[in-house]
Amino acid sequence: MNEISVTLPDGSSRRVPAGTTPADIAGQISPGLARAALAAIVDDRLVDLGAPIQGDARLRIVTTGSPEALALYRHSTAHLMAAAVTSLFPGAQCGIGPAIEDGFFYDFVVDRPFVPEDLAAIEARMKELASKDLRFEREMIPREEAKRFFADRGEPLKVQLIEEKTEGQAEVSCYTIGDRETFIDFCVGPHVPSTGRLKAFRLLNTSNAYWKGDARNQPMQRIYGTAFFSESDLKAYIQRIEEAKRRDHRKVGKELGLFTFHPWAPGAAFWLSNGTTLYNILAGYMREVLFPAGYVELKTPIVFNKALWEASGHWDHYRQNMFLIESEGEQMGMKAMNCPGHMLVFASQVRSYRDLPIRFHEQTPLHRNEASGVLSGLTRVRQFSQDDAHCFVAEDQIAAEVESLLRLVQRVHADFGLEYSAKLSTRPESFLGEVATWDHAEAALKAALDAAGQAYSVNEGDGAFYGPKIDFDITDAIGRKWQCATIQLDYQLPQRFDLKYIGADNAEHRPVVIHRAIFGSFERFIALLIEHYAGAFPMWLAPVQVGVLPIADRHLPYAESVRGRLAAAGLRVTLDERQEKIGYKIREAQIQKVPYMLVVGDREEAEGTVGVRHRAGGDLGARPVDAFAQAALTEVLTRAAAPQAVSAENLNVRV
């Protein structure tokens, strides 16, 4: 028998017979490794432990500590779930069942929607199958035979997948669990060795779905689940999910009277009084940050002739996501982004190198025709506004301008007490322009990141087609990541709109555009803040900062005078005039997450004080009105962060 050489991660090599499996080699290395092994990497390809190695190769055994392990584990758990579903619902057709960021899902064609009782039964059946320690076995089946096999089983979707994904192949890969009667699926794998490895899993919810995500195709039912290597990690994740439900911005936003939605205006929020106040605070804050940094604010039209979108390229590449209008025989489009309008403003007059950088900021509404099925609270809407800006710079100004933008990003995140990470996305396979231009742009972004002292990772090949970019992920109080801020270099729009400025040499030059947003959209950023703070906004952000609570009707005149003095000082104050007991008023204010409650009665009126209560700290004692006002204003001006009700360390499960 021929021998082959297998090289291990430490550089050592072993001579073994051709056809030896990774499981065999793991057993030779140590019994512990053999027990821990889940799969293997052979020459950079993830394979089953039982896959024969036929030639010289590099080998790495995959265990629970390997970066590939969790996705492999979850994919296998998805198959286990499908086996349970087909056992309990014999007529079910299987669609696809991939691992995803937080777990896995599987799509099925069934006679009726799944209900919570079904999920409990499916999960119980999964545990039963796991306890039997059934092997995942790969079968290579002739292509035509596999198509007939799945057709005879009443699974036309699998036949379609085989036709689409295995054209030109003689055989196709299928996996069984135990045997074909228990479960078989068309799948390239790999999988863990057996169901006994799958212990810590939970089914979470169901949703409607469509075959291949297309509403014109077969309707399906999707089951979402998650899996971890240990029960403790699973328990922590479930705790995080429950906390996320408590913080859900749709729930909290309704409770706090921030916004509402109506089916007659899908994907567009109705901002209520408190929500409008919060929105305006953020808008004003961003102006406060940007104007000293040299920005000017614009308001450009909301509806443009299609000629603009043709010039920008959006008519050919983005029209399906735009709201289109016909007026007097002309086709128009509601703006989905501000950049084309800003190109027109730049081109509206002669520009000199002395004018650069030119920084345009805009907050007017944008509209995108998102599919109704993907709309979700404030995080996916059809109408929104951005803290949008476009900086027009000369080539030699790129590094300095990006460094300045990075410092703005750092300042804003610090003001909100938000932790974040940065990633540099470089040239994709499909790109516009010249490689040398891209290399120059990427070098400029790296230099700016280094100069600003900003740690970052490199996301190779994930840049926009028109230029490299820096994206920022915010980590909220319970460990979830939100992508908000972005800085993008663009050489293409200036060329499309033939933008020019007169240089020091009196010749025409082309500017570079830097697209940038820090909040992203106001709607999404507000959703993030609601969930990050669980609605308990810091004093400076709270729509209502102080509630004045008179104990009895006779204290109303004094309470009104307190409210007036605090409002005159610049605080946002309400007066609870209802004929209710003081305990009820306090509880109501706490439910509304008002930072400070000022109780006023006979004693306070006589002494010119207020009884101060904090929503988290309770009774803080009596204080003179002016002293409280001064302390409250200091808290607002310093933008002190609100205490978090839940420990991020206890809830943060990295997945």
Side-chain angles (χ1 to χ4, degrees):
M1 183 179 293
N2 293 334
E3 284 196 336
I4 59 173
S5 176
V6 175
T7 303
L8 302 176
D10 63 1
S12 65
S13 61
R14 290 173 177 257
R15 302 289 299 178
V16 297
T20 298
T21 68
D24 296 330
I25 297 174
Q28 294 172 15
I29 295 172
S30 77
L33 182 61
R35 288 191 298 271
L38 296 174
I41 303 289
V42 176
D43 286 340
D44 301 322
R45 188 167 65 93
L46 185 64
V47 301
D48 294 304
L49 283 175
I53 306 173
Q54 300 294 357
D56 293 350
R58 303 184 311 278
L59 171 68
R60 174 165 61 86
I61 301 298
V62 173
T63 67
T64 57
S66 305
E68 306 86 358
L70 193 55
L72 169 80
Y73 188 85
R74 288 170 170 170
H75 183 202
S76 298
T77 309
H79 274 237
L80 180 67
M81 180 178 74
V85 169
T86 54
S87 171
L88 295 171
F89 301 85
Q93 285 189 58
C94 295
I96 59 171
I100 55 177
E101 182 180 1
D102 286 340
F104 59 87
F105 71 79
Y106 213 114
D107 291 340
F108 303 95
V109 178
V110 285
D111 293 335
R112 60 169 176 79
F114 293 116
V115 296
E117 292 78 11
D118 294 331
L119 293 193
I122 294 166
E123 191 172 304
R125 180 64 173 146
M126 290 171 67
K127 291 177 180 177
E128 181 184 337
L129 293 172
S131 69
K132 293 181 178 181
D133 199 25
L134 303 173
R135 292 195 62 78
F136 283 88
E137 295 279 4
R138 189 185 194 202
E139 290 188 21
M140 297 303 298
I141 305 175
R143 185 171 185 266
E144 293 305 314
E145 179 184 329
K147 288 166 59 178
R148 288 193 300 272
F149 174 79
F150 283 106
D152 291 343
R153 285 169 61 94
E155 296 199 59
L157 301 183
K158 291 296 177 186
V159 177
Q160 184 178 341
L161 284 177
I162 292 171
E163 289 175 341
E164 293 173 352
K165 295 183 177 295
T166 65
E167 186 176 355
Q169 297 180 19
E171 296 181 316
V172 299
S173 170
C174 295
Y175 277 82
T176 62
I177 294 179
D179 53 45
R180 289 189 177 187
E181 292 304 313
T182 302
F183 184 68
I184 185 170
D185 197 5
F186 164 59
C187 178
V188 297
H191 289 285
V192 299
S194 69
T195 61
R197 301 296 187 96
L198 308 174
K199 300 181 184 299
F201 51 79
R202 182 75 57 84
L203 301 188
L204 301 173
N205 54 62
T206 66
S207 71
N208 295 323
Y210 294 97
W211 178 236
K212 297 183 178 179
D214 190 332
R216 296 169 296 183
N217 288 342
Q218 173 77 55
M220 308 185 79
Q221 285 285 299
R222 175 171 296 179
I223 300 178
Y224 286 98
T226 192
F228 290 88
F229 296 127
S230 70
E231 284 291 341
S232 60
D233 281 350
L234 176 62
K235 182 178 179 181
Y237 177 80
I238 297 302
Q239 184 183 0
R240 194 186 89 175
I241 292 297
E242 291 304 314
E243 179 60 22
K245 291 179 182 177
R246 187 180 75 83
R247 292 169 177 254
D248 189 315
H249 74 276
R250 292 164 295 187
K251 171 179 174 289
V252 176
K254 181 178 180 180
E255 293 170 349
L256 299 186
L258 300 178
F259 58 86
T260 188
F261 287 90
H262 193 280
W264 290 353
F270 289 75
W271 291 98
L272 306 179
S273 176
N274 284 346
T276 300
T277 297
L278 177 59
Y279 206 111
N280 289 337
I281 291 168
L282 293 173
Y285 165 82
M286 188 50 66
R287 293 183 176 102
E288 175 190 326
V289 169
L290 295 182
F291 290 173
Y295 287 76
V296 295
E297 186 169 6
L298 306 180
K299 283 191 178 295
T300 58
I302 292 177
V303 178
F304 285 95
N305 188 284
K306 77 170 185 178
L308 173 81
W309 307 112
E310 288 173 334
S312 68
H314 291 99
W315 194 257
D316 290 333
H317 300 287
Y318 201 76
R319 179 174 38 178
Q320 70 276 13
N321 298 109
M322 296 173 63
F323 285 101
L324 304 180
I325 300 170
E326 185 169 318
S327 175
E328 297 182 342
E330 294 283 343
Q331 284 190 290
M332 317 286 281
M334 296 182 71
K335 71 174 177 181
M337 60 284 297
N338 289 309
C339 32
H342 289 189
M343 302 303 120
L344 297 185
V345 174
F346 184 92
S348 65
Q349 63 188 79
V350 176
R351 306 289 182 176
S352 165
Y353 72 95
R354 295 186 179 90
D355 301 325
L356 304 183
I358 292 175
R359 306 177 180 98
F360 293 152
H361 171 63
E362 184 163 8
Q363 297 182 8
T364 50
L366 304 174
H367 295 82
R368 295 181 184 175
N369 192 10
E370 301 280 5
S372 59
V374 302
L375 299 177
S376 179
L378 297 178
T379 59
R380 197 71 177 264
V381 290
R382 288 177 172 172
Q383 177 181 297
F384 60 98
S385 296
Q386 294 180 313
D387 67 311
D388 205 6
H390 296 90
C391 306
F392 298 80
V393 299
E395 280 278 348
D396 60 1
Q397 294 174 326
I398 292 174
E401 188 67 14
V402 172
E403 183 183 347
S404 174
L405 291 173
L406 288 169
R407 298 201 186 282
L408 278 179
V409 170
Q410 291 168 347
R411 176 201 165 164
V412 170
H413 287 147
D415 284 345
F416 288 89
L418 296 171
E419 296 182 3
Y420 68 97
S421 59
K423 55 190 176 188
L424 171 63
S425 297
T426 59
R427 184 177 68 247
E429 289 186 11
S430 177
F431 63 93
L432 294 178
E434 303 296 327
V435 171
T437 303
W438 276 83
D439 290 344
H440 173 76
E442 289 173 11
L445 291 184
K446 289 177 182 177
L449 285 161
D450 293 336
Q454 175 65 62
Y456 65 96
S457 60
V458 177
N459 197 9
E460 296 285 357
D462 201 44
F465 69 91
Y466 53 77
K469 61 178 181 172
I470 304 170
D471 289 324
F472 300 83
D473 290 328
I474 293 173
T475 302
D476 71 12
I478 58 173
R480 298 168 301 179
K481 291 190 179 296
W482 303 65
Q483 200 279 306
C484 293
T486 186
I487 299 172
Q488 304 177 0
L489 289 190
D490 184 1
Y491 290 84
Q492 306 309 316
L493 278 183
Q495 181 173 330
R496 279 182 168 272
F497 284 89
D498 194 25
L499 301 186
K500 299 171 184 175
Y501 68 91
I502 306 302
D505 57 359
N506 211 34
E508 292 181 336
H509 298 268
R510 184 89 66 204
V512 178
V513 170
I514 303 175
H515 304 249
R516 77 106 193 98
I518 302 178
F519 290 163
S521 80
F522 282 91
E523 282 73 7
R524 180 175 170 80
F525 194 71
I526 288 173
L528 182 162
L529 293 179
I530 291 171
E531 299 198 12
H532 177 66
Y533 296 121
F537 298 111
M539 178 76 163
W540 71 278
L541 277 176
V544 176
Q545 296 169 321
V546 182
V548 180
L549 314 179
I551 293 176
D553 284 353
R554 65 179 181 274
H555 305 124
L556 275 173
Y558 178 64
E560 177 59 41
S561 71
V562 170
R563 189 209 65 79
R565 290 165 67 182
L566 296 179
L571 295 170
R572 295 185 290 277
V573 193
T574 60
L575 172 62
D576 192 337
E577 300 178 284
R578 295 175 298 172
Q579 293 180 338
E580 299 285 355
K581 292 182 179 180
I582 190 63
Y584 179 85
K585 292 181 178 182
I586 291 171
R587 285 192 299 274
E588 285 286 294
Q590 287 177 325
I591 290 172
Q592 289 299 302
K593 304 184 188 298
V594 177
Y596 288 100
M597 293 146 274
L598 306 184
V599 178
V600 295
D602 292 337
R603 181 175 178 178
E604 288 79 18
E605 184 171 359
E607 297 177 354
T609 62
V610 288
V612 182
R613 295 185 63 90
H614 189 267
R615 66 186 170 202
D619 188 358
L620 303 181
R623 292 188 188 178
V625 176
D626 290 342
F628 170 78
Q630 186 59 49
L633 287 171
T634 299
E635 186 174 339
V636 170
L637 292 173
T638 57
R639 298 195 173 103
Q644 295 301 304
V646 178
S647 167
E649 289 76 17
N650 293 337
L651 295 169
N652 187 6
V653 180
R654 300 297 181 190
V655 295

